[in-house]
Amino acid sequence: QVQLVESGGGLVQAGESLRLSCAASGSISSINFMGWYRQAQGNAREMVAGITGIGSTFYGDSVKGRFTISRDNVQNTLYLQMNSLVPEDTAVYYCVAGQGRAARWGQGTQVTVSS
């Protein structure tokens, strides 16, 4: 099974950018769905962005135009480029490989955006 480790989170000011990485301990080439979810304190986990094996992408309404998801099937890494960050983006960000009961989740990385 694929294990996932997120990195790249941190504390930034509003308007700044961060790039999150999710390194997989194994090939992700055969995994159709890869994605990023986030969970703010006291809120439900929400889908931020997803990407298919052929590179089709989709985004949550709150991040469209600001975030970009990508995957490198050679480096076995999933990325989330986050631009124009706002305090509402503050959350723990999780990467996921697969769907449903077969999904594998990373441990999460904290993103905090100050005003």
Side-chain angles (χ1 to χ4, degrees), residues 12-89:
V12 297
Q13 295 182 2
E16 296 299 310
S17 299
L18 281 174
R19 192 189 196 198
L20 305 183
S21 298
C22 175
S25 61
S27 176
I28 63 171
S29 298
S30 64
I31 302 175
N32 182 51
F33 177 79
M34 301 282 291
W36 290 94
Y37 286 69
R38 69 185 183 188
Q39 186 167 23
Q41 292 296 325
N43 293 339
R45 187 173 297 185
E46 65 173 332
M47 195 275 290
V48 175
I51 186 168
T52 70
I54 61 172
S56 298
T57 59
F58 35 94
Y59 299 90
D61 289 340
S62 64
V63 307
K64 286 181 179 178
R66 299 189 297 119
F67 290 11
T68 303
I69 188 172
S70 61
R71 60 192 287 173
D72 187 330
N73 291 339
V74 176
Q75 296 294 320
N76 296 316
T77 303
L78 179 74
Y79 300 98
L80 184 67
Q81 178 66 45
M82 305 185 295
N83 298 328
S84 301
L85 285 162
V86 294
E88 291 74 20
D89 295 319

Side-chain angles (χ1 to χ4, degrees), residues 6-10 20-21 36 91-95 106-112:
E6 300 97 333
S7 63
L20 305 183
S21 298
W36 290 94
V92 177
Y93 285 71
Y94 301 88
C95 65
Q107 81 291 337
T109 185
Q110 177 71 47
V111 171
T112 303

